[in-house]
Amino acid sequence: MNSANDQRYARHQTPAGVQTEKDKVIFYSLSSKFVDEKSAQKRSSQKVQEVIYYSLAIGHHLGVIDCLKSRLECPLNGYRQWIDCLPQNSEARRKLSGVQRFGEINIDSTHTHCLALALRDAREKMNTQQQGWSDALIALLEQIENDPAMYLMVRRYDA
């Protein structure tokens, strides 16, 4: 992939013709944001550009491209067993089980405490690998606490 394609495709998206690995779950974190200013200038009138910059100034993401970076990968079966360590009917289990139901979830600052506490409390039920995943996820949750604009996108690859 050349540098033009690096900017064109988010890292979690696979360019046409490239096979993705199957049966895994990947946690991505926001690594940077940018506005494609050159193409926006070619396609947009001055008024549209003003709306884009105004929306950036007030915190909306109109016209902003989020760049995501892979931070944690788990085999799909391992992910399921890891989530099964969390208490039945808990909010943390419901949230992380969304990957199995919907294929993709977002984790933001509203989820950090709930998930971190549940992962910590379930640690005794986990094997060494699951504890490592918990430690990695808790570290990512701490990053969100320090930078509330950051979020995680968790995607299932099994198709």
Side-chain angles (χ1 to χ4, degrees), residues 23-25 74-81 100 156-158:
D23 299 326
K24 66 181 178 179
V25 173
C74 311
L76 184 56
N77 283 337
Y79 180 83
R80 290 178 181 137
Q81 293 167 356
Q100 295 170 277
R156 181 189 76 218
Y157 291 93
D158 62 350

Side-chain angles (χ1 to χ4, degrees), residues 83-103:
I83 301 310
D84 286 344
C85 295
L86 299 174
Q88 287 280 354
N89 301 320
S90 68
E91 182 62 21
R93 186 171 177 157
R94 185 201 63 76
K95 178 65 182 173
L96 293 176
S97 294
V99 173
Q100 295 170 277
R101 271 182 272 138
F102 307 115

Side-chain angles (χ1 to χ4, degrees), residues 57-77:
I58 62 172
H60 289 270
H61 293 193
L62 180 66
V64 177
I65 299 170
D66 290 352
C67 298
L68 302 172
K69 188 172 187 177
S70 174
R71 300 292 183 175
L72 174 63
E73 292 187 23
C74 311
L76 184 56
N77 283 337

Side-chain angles (χ1 to χ4, degrees), residues 1 6 9 16 22 33 41 49 52 61 74 76 93 96 115 118 150 157 159:
M1 185 179 298
D6 284 343
Y9 295 103
K22 294 180 181 177
K33 297 181 177 195
Q41 288 174 350
Q49 291 178 31
I52 290 172
H61 293 193
C74 311
L76 184 56
R93 186 171 177 157
L96 293 176
L115 293 174
M150 185 182 148
Y157 291 93

